[in-house]
Amino acid sequence: MKTIIEPFKIKSVEPIHFTTAHERAVLLQQAYYNPFLLKAKDVIIDLLTDSGTGAMSSEQWAGVMRGDESYAGSDSFFRFESAVKELTAMPFIIPVHQGRAAEKILFTIKGGEGKYVLSNTLFDTTRANIEFSGATGIDLLTNAAKDSAVSAPFKGNMDTEKLEAFVLEKGAENISLVIITVTNNSGGGQPVSMANIKAVKAICVKYQIPMFIDACRFAENCYFIKQREPGFEGMTIKAIAQELFSYADGCTMSAKKDAFANIGGFLAVHDQQLAEECRNLLIITEGFPTYGGLAGRDLEAIAIGLQEIVDEDYLKYRIRSIEYIGEQLDGCGIPYLKPTGGHALYLDAKAFLPHIPAHQFPGQALCGALYLEGGVRGVEIGSVMFGEHAQHELVRLAIPRRTYTQSHMDYLAEVIIAVYAKRHEVRGLKMVYETPFLRHFTARFEWV
Ligand SMILES: *Cc1c(COP(=O)(O)O)cnc(C)c1O
């Protein structure tokens, strides 16, 4: 088989600023050992997130120029709306400035004291918005996801037995909704099978609970379904996505992920009453319903991005490029969450640094070591991010879409391998400052 090459040419470039190991030691200390507090210019390979960091296509940039900035009823809105409807078939499409704005609106209406929101795994902003409303977020992930060293095709699935048991225990009237995250970002970018979505939907129908999808990475999830789930081999990614959305009562989406946009998102629902309540909140916090906190040019970029993302050649390259890093690490026995996910490789910091206990944040320590070694910036997904809810101690290396080349990925593997060779020298951290919500963004640390 020939090399799977990047299915694009580079038209515009952005220089990378190189730092020395000595400079990075000073810079990391000044950032209190929190990669979020580093300046981007001091990072060589930035894998902090795949959110809003992708490269837009020439078509998207052309769309930016075409953007209609009318306050109400802009052409760009209608192009955006029809792109979302094409995939979701949902009648009410509400633009927002990013995914968490959709969550804030949805859970202000659907959350509240005494309510539960059930998921495979809630993303950090989703959980924060649920908890801020007074409701409780519950993760009911399949047991297949427990062992990070064991590969399975759909480690993002929700455990349907636990779901039904939970509904019966707490009473269906107290479950405000079920939201399935595709792919499961916090659980390793692992996909959810169509069969699982259907099974969850059947339970939701039985107990009259709305089922939503956190659709940030719907296209990557659909590519995995095509590869791994019998019966979908012959379908287009778009048709698989349409089927996936057909089971949902609504969805939230950050267009900064699988819509190749630098900003934006949406909330889409079937229920007219809910849509009206959402729009009432939207007007207070985001803007008029035909722009929702976005410029017309952003709506254009999203509309075009949603068409480009279902291209199978792109998805093949995307998923393969992450698998490729994993294969290089396999040669050295480096522990990471298997199989590699849709948008990221997740190093298993607990197994990588077994001498550092959870309360000394092995993931955060590994992030520091990767930066010191090669200027690579990743993010901890473990006890810093989730406190006592943490199921794993991971370092997520999220790959921005269409941004880095194969040689950047080779360099990344070299950096990880070099850190692994001197892993015994890495020390744990203690947290010396934190905030009540989403503390990982601003927490400060010192070496133990
Ligand atoms: C990024 C993300 C969100 C939140 O979207 P923002 O655009 O960052 O506000 C929600 N859920 C998942 C799964 C995400 O990855």
Side-chain angles (χ1 to χ4, degrees), residues 124-204:
D124 60 349
T125 61
T126 324
R127 176 176 287 284
N129 275 301
I130 291 164
E131 291 178 355
F132 189 73
S133 81
T136 307
I138 305 283
D139 294 342
L140 302 169
L141 187 61
T142 170
N143 287 333
K146 287 237 162 77
D147 189 345
S148 72
V150 177
S151 196
F154 291 105
K155 288 171 98 174
N157 282 357
M158 197 166 181
D159 186 320
T160 49
E161 278 173 31
K162 283 190 223 159
L163 168 62
E164 191 154 18
F166 193 93
V167 173
L168 290 171
E169 187 195 325
K170 303 289 179 187
E173 67 284 6
N174 297 315
I175 317 291
S176 52
L177 57 89
V178 169
I179 184 161
I180 304 184
T181 314
V182 301
T183 59
N184 187 16
N185 184 0
S186 309
Q190 301 294 317
V192 180
S193 70
M194 195 74 85
N196 187 247
I197 288 168
K198 282 163 82 169
V200 171
K201 173 67 174 177
I203 294 169
C204 288

Side-chain angles (χ1 to χ4, degrees), residues 15-296:
I16 293 175
H17 169 69
F18 294 126
T19 48
T20 64
H22 177 73
E23 286 165 340
R24 290 194 291 275
V26 175
L27 292 163
L28 189 62
Q29 189 188 17
Q30 286 169 349
Y32 303 97
Y33 302 95
N34 184 344
F36 280 105
L37 303 178
L38 286 166
K39 288 183 179 154
K41 76 165 174 49
D42 298 327
V43 175
I44 297 176
I45 303 286
D46 203 347
L47 310 179
L48 186 68
T49 177
D50 62 322
S51 178
T53 51
M56 292 217 292
S57 66
S58 47
E59 273 308 303
Q60 283 180 295
W61 283 112
V64 165
M65 285 308 295
R66 197 165 53 227
D68 173 3
E69 304 302 342
S70 306
Y71 192 94
S74 98
D75 267 357
S76 300
F77 171 75
F78 295 110
R79 277 192 283 271
F80 159 84
E81 186 189 43
S82 83
V84 179
K85 277 189 180 169
E86 173 84 18
L87 289 167
T88 65
M90 292 179 197
F92 304 103
I93 313 297
I94 300 168
V96 291
H97 81 276
Q98 60 182 83
R100 72 198 67 185
E103 294 165 355
K104 170 78 177 145
I105 290 171
L106 182 64
F107 294 116
T108 299
I109 296 163
K110 293 296 231 173
E113 285 309 324
K115 297 283 183 198
Y116 293 91
V117 177
L118 315 184
S119 182
N120 46 351
T121 309
L122 295 164
F123 184 62
D124 60 349
T125 61
T126 324
R127 176 176 287 284
N129 275 301
I130 291 164
E131 291 178 355
F132 189 73
S133 81
T136 307
I138 305 283
D139 294 342
L140 302 169
L141 187 61
T142 170
N143 287 333
K146 287 237 162 77
D147 189 345
S148 72
V150 177
S151 196
F154 291 105
K155 288 171 98 174
N157 282 357
M158 197 166 181
D159 186 320
T160 49
E161 278 173 31
K162 283 190 223 159
L163 168 62
E164 191 154 18
F166 193 93
V167 173
L168 290 171
E169 187 195 325
K170 303 289 179 187
E173 67 284 6
N174 297 315
I175 317 291
S176 52
L177 57 89
V178 169
I179 184 161
I180 304 184
T181 314
V182 301
T183 59
N184 187 16
N185 184 0
S186 309
Q190 301 294 317
V192 180
S193 70
M194 195 74 85
N196 187 247
I197 288 168
K198 282 163 82 169
V200 171
K201 173 67 174 177
I203 294 169
C204 288
V205 168
K206 183 167 166 195
Y207 297 100
Q208 295 185 309
I209 300 165
M211 190 190 87
F212 273 61
I213 290 184
D214 177 337
C216 294
R217 298 181 181 77
F218 74 95
E220 289 167 6
N221 199 97
C222 290
Y223 182 78
F224 283 122
I225 288 176
K226 177 160 177 151
Q227 297 300 302
R228 298 178 186 174
E229 193 165 352
F232 293 91
E233 320 62 7
M235 279 169 78
T236 63
I237 300 298
K238 185 173 162 187
I240 297 173
Q242 286 166 332
E243 178 174 340
L244 185 146
F245 284 114
S246 75
Y247 301 116
D249 296 293
C251 68
T252 56
M253 163 109 186
S254 168
K256 301 171 74 172
K257 321 289 173 55
D258 270 358
F260 290 125
N262 299 124
I263 197 71
F266 57 84
L267 177 59
V269 296
H270 276 290
D271 180 336
Q272 181 164 10
Q273 166 85 32
L274 177 59
E276 276 169 23
E277 287 177 59
C278 291
R279 281 182 179 143
N280 291 340
L281 283 180
L282 182 83
I283 292 185
I284 306 171
T285 58
E286 294 283 296
F288 189 74
T290 61
Y291 73 85
L294 294 170

